[in-house]
């Protein structure tokens, strides 16, 4: 009996000891799990309160680094720019800036040119990087993409330089011719010759200033604010009348067709100027005794029918390398010929801006020695919507329709209505 009691007591004591040991082990394991490890210090985002919210609304690319240069927080824009890869900051100059700032606490800023990811063409991505301490252990890196701002600044700078050059030519010519008139005041024939040249240069200067005004207007104004239905037949007639005298001098036949019952919606003055510029270029760059055609048709599209107006000439044509730049301001395929015809290099730039502001597009087909075809595609009146909707519809065209609109004709008059010869 005493033996059984001793065994029971021993078993009870062993059970109590086992329970105590298990409880101590559980507590020890729980404390060990909650203890921060060396790895968790670098992976868990330990940001000061409110910083995460502020970084989420910044337009700049944001990256937060800890004391081991590991990325604690990075915005989606930082990944898109290729700044963060594999949890590390991938740009060595920025990483060195972060280390220097962590060491001395000074704010640093620098502009860098980074290679674009995936292009393979060596294009530079211009960025401005600013590094500042964030608390006692973290460093904040803000990166601003300056590529578009630099491109716009370069375009503005080139535009000012080109305008200055273009204005300098006729102004200088007028100055020299006026001096020549004064020196030849006793020679009636010379005075008349120099005065004629002055009139030509003054006309060129007037045209340049007017086209600069037109270009500025079409860039700043929204033609769809006060848009109205415009008959394509009237636009073509106005463009033909504008160039009739120049075409008659060179014995160029002008023909138009397919324009009946077609309307586009927009600013009549801007549309007439755009089409007139295309017809005028076709006449100016065509040899004598050739033909210029203007043809129109309706093209079915998902977001509403489009009106396609094609202006075709049998002129000198445009090379492949020049076709990509013909819509740039002041760009001339043949500068010497352009000056002879009084061209300013702004006509096609105006055409491009007018068509784009009306929710359309302009394309060019050309072959050297065979002529050129410039094609305007504009939403048809009655089915056209606001510009944002037009662009959305345009983006949603079926592949078949897109191919039919994007593929230029293999010959100037293929698939277009037969034009009528105009008197």
């Amino acid at each position: 009996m005493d033996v059984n009691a001793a065994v029971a007591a021993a078993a009870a004591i062993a059970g109590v000891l086992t329970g105590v040991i298990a409880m101590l082990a559980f507590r020890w394991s729980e404390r060990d799990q909650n203890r921060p490890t060396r790895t968790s210090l670098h992976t868990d985002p330990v940001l000061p309160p409110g910083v995460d919210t502020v970084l989420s609304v910044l337009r700049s690319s944001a990256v937060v680094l800890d004391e081991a240069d590991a990325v604690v927080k990075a915005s989606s824009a930082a990944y898109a720019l290729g700044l963060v890869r594999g949890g590390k900051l991938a740009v060595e100059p920025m990483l060195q800036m972060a280390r220097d700032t962590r060491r001395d606490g000074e704010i640093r800023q620098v502009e860098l040119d980074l290679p674009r990811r995936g292009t393979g063409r060596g294009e530079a991505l211009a960025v401005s990087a600013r590094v500042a301490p964030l608390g006692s252990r973290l460093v904040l890196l803000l990166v601003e993409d300056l590529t578009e701002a630099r491109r716009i600044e370069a375009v503005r700078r080139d535009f000012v330089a080109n305008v200055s050059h273009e204005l300098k030519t006729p102004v200088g010519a007028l100055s020299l011719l006026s001096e020549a008139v004064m020196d030849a005041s006793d020679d009636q024939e010379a005075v008349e010759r120099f005065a004629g040249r002055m009139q030509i240069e003054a006309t060129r200067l007037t045209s340049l200033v007017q086209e600069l005004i037109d270009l500025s207007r079409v860039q700043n104004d929204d033609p769809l604010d006060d848009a109205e239905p415009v008959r394509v037949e009237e636009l073509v007639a106005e463009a033909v009348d504008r160039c009739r005298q120049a075409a008659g001098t060179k014995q160029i036949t002008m023909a138009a067709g397919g324009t009946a019952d077609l309307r586009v919606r927009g600013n009549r003055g801007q549309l007439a100027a755009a089409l007139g510029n295309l017809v005028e270029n076709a006449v100016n760059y065509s040899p004598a005794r050739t033909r210029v055609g203007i043809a129109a048709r309706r093209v079915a599209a998902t977001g509403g029918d489009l009106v396609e107006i094609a202006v075709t000439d049998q002129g000198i044509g445009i090379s492949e390398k020049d076709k990509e730049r013909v819509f740039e301001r002041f760009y001339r395929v043949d500068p010497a010929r352009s000056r002879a015809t009084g061209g300013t290099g702004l006509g096609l730039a105006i055409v491009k801006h007018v068509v784009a502001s009306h929710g359309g597009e302009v394309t060019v087909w050309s072959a050297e020695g065979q002529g050129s075809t410039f094609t305007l595609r504009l939403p048809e009146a009655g089915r056209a919507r606001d510009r944002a909707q037009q662009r959305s519809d345009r983006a949603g065209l079926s592949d078949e329709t897109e191919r039919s609109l994007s593929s230029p004709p293999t010959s100037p008059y293929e698939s277009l209505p037969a034009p009528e010869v105009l008197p």
Side-chain angles (χ1 to χ4, degrees):
M1 187 70 179
D2 294 337
V3 174
N4 292 335
V7 171
I13 293 172
V16 170
L17 290 175
T18 302
V20 170
I21 292 172
M23 182 168 47
L24 290 175
F26 176 77
R27 291 289 180 86
W28 182 269
S29 174
E30 186 179 37
R31 188 178 66 175
D32 187 64
Q33 288 179 358
N34 293 331
R35 180 184 301 169
T37 63
R38 184 180 300 274
T39 303
S40 66
L41 286 175
H42 301 319
T43 57
D44 294 339
V46 188
L47 294 177
V51 172
D52 195 6
T53 303
V54 173
L55 295 182
S56 65
V57 298
L58 286 177
R59 298 182 61 182
S60 305
S61 303
V63 181
V64 178
L65 303 176
D66 63 10
E67 69 274 10
D69 292 334
V71 175
V72 175
K73 177 74 175 179
S75 64
S76 58
Y79 287 98
L81 289 178
L83 304 179
V84 178
R85 299 176 192 172
K88 294 289 186 180
L89 185 61
V91 183
E92 185 60 33
M94 295 181 186
L95 187 59
Q96 188 59 47
M97 288 173 58
R99 291 168 180 168
D100 294 341
T101 296
R102 186 184 301 112
R103 184 181 65 252
D104 55 25
E106 293 186 4
I107 298 175
R108 289 175 168 82
Q109 183 170 354
V110 68
E111 292 188 2
L112 300 171
D113 291 333
L114 308 178
R116 286 184 184 270
R117 297 182 60 188
T119 61
R121 294 178 293 179
E123 297 179 353
L125 184 70
V127 298
S128 174
R130 185 177 179 87
V131 181
L134 186 63
S136 59
R137 296 170 41 247
L138 304 180
V139 174
L140 173 63
L141 170 66
L142 296 177
V143 180
E144 189 76 22
D145 187 357
L146 303 178
T147 307
E148 184 65 14
R150 284 192 179 181
R151 187 192 68 80
I152 293 174
E153 180 60 29
V155 170
R156 183 183 296 110
R157 185 170 55 250
D158 292 342
F159 180 71
V160 172
N162 287 331
V163 168
S164 301
H165 175 73
E166 295 296 332
L167 290 175
K168 182 179 178 181
T169 302
V171 169
L174 287 172
S175 177
L176 292 175
L177 289 169
S178 63
E179 293 179 4
V181 168
M182 293 178 62
D183 294 338
S185 57
D186 296 335
D187 187 344
Q188 183 64 27
E189 182 179 351
V191 169
E192 292 179 357
R193 184 172 67 254
F194 291 142
R197 288 294 305 167
M198 290 178 69
Q199 287 183 340
I200 294 175
E201 295 298 335
T203 301
R204 177 174 298 172
L205 180 60
T206 302
S207 299
L208 176 58
V209 172
Q210 184 59 50
E211 291 200 344
L212 287 171
I213 294 173
D214 293 341
L215 181 59
S216 176
R217 182 180 296 116
V218 300
Q219 286 180 312
N220 296 327
D221 295 344
D222 189 347
L224 298 183
D225 288 343
D226 55 353
E228 61 178 344
V230 181
R231 290 173 55 88
V232 174
E233 190 172 12
E234 295 176 357
L235 294 177
V236 172
E238 188 172 336
V240 170
D241 288 339
R242 171 177 167 179
C243 305
R244 192 181 302 277
Q245 182 177 356
T249 302
K250 298 175 67 174
Q251 299 180 356
I252 292 176
T253 302
M254 302 186 70
T259 60
D261 300 327
L262 293 180
R263 296 172 180 264
V264 293
R265 186 172 185 81
N267 184 290
R268 177 187 176 86
Q270 291 189 12
L271 292 172
L275 184 58
N277 284 345
L278 291 182
V279 177
E280 186 175 15
N281 280 352
V283 172
N284 289 338
Y285 286 90
S286 293
R289 293 179 294 279
T290 54
R291 177 176 173 142
V292 170
I294 307 102
R297 64 173 179 174
R298 181 182 292 109
V299 179
T302 303
D305 291 349
L306 302 175
V307 173
E308 186 176 275
I309 308 173
V311 179
T312 303
D313 63 62
Q314 297 173 314
I316 59 177
I318 306 171
S319 65
E320 287 295 329
K321 65 180 183 67
D322 288 324
K323 278 195 292 188
E324 298 179 359
R325 302 189 59 190
V326 291
F327 295 102
E328 294 181 12
R329 302 165 183 169
F330 298 109
Y331 185 79
R332 297 183 177 92
V333 175
D334 185 352
R337 187 181 181 91
S338 294
R339 294 191 183 280
T341 59
T344 63
L346 289 174
L348 292 180
I350 293 174
V351 173
K352 179 180 178 179
H353 283 290
V354 168
V355 176
S357 65
H358 282 75
E361 64 175 348
V362 55
T363 58
V364 56
W365 173 92
S366 186
E368 291 186 274
Q370 299 183 31
S372 305
T373 297
F374 286 84
T375 304
L376 307 180
R377 296 187 182 96
L378 297 165
E380 186 177 11
R383 299 177 174 86
R385 308 173 195 176
D386 59 85
R387 182 167 52 197
Q389 184 64 44
Q390 291 164 9
R391 289 175 179 172
S392 174
D393 292 339
R394 181 63 179 165
L397 292 178
S398 65
D399 293 339
E400 181 179 357
T401 304
E402 183 66 31
R403 283 194 298 269
S404 67
L405 294 178
S406 302
S407 302
T410 55
S411 64
Y413 288 101
E414 184 177 342
S415 75
L416 292 175
E420 294 181 12
V421 177
L422 301 175

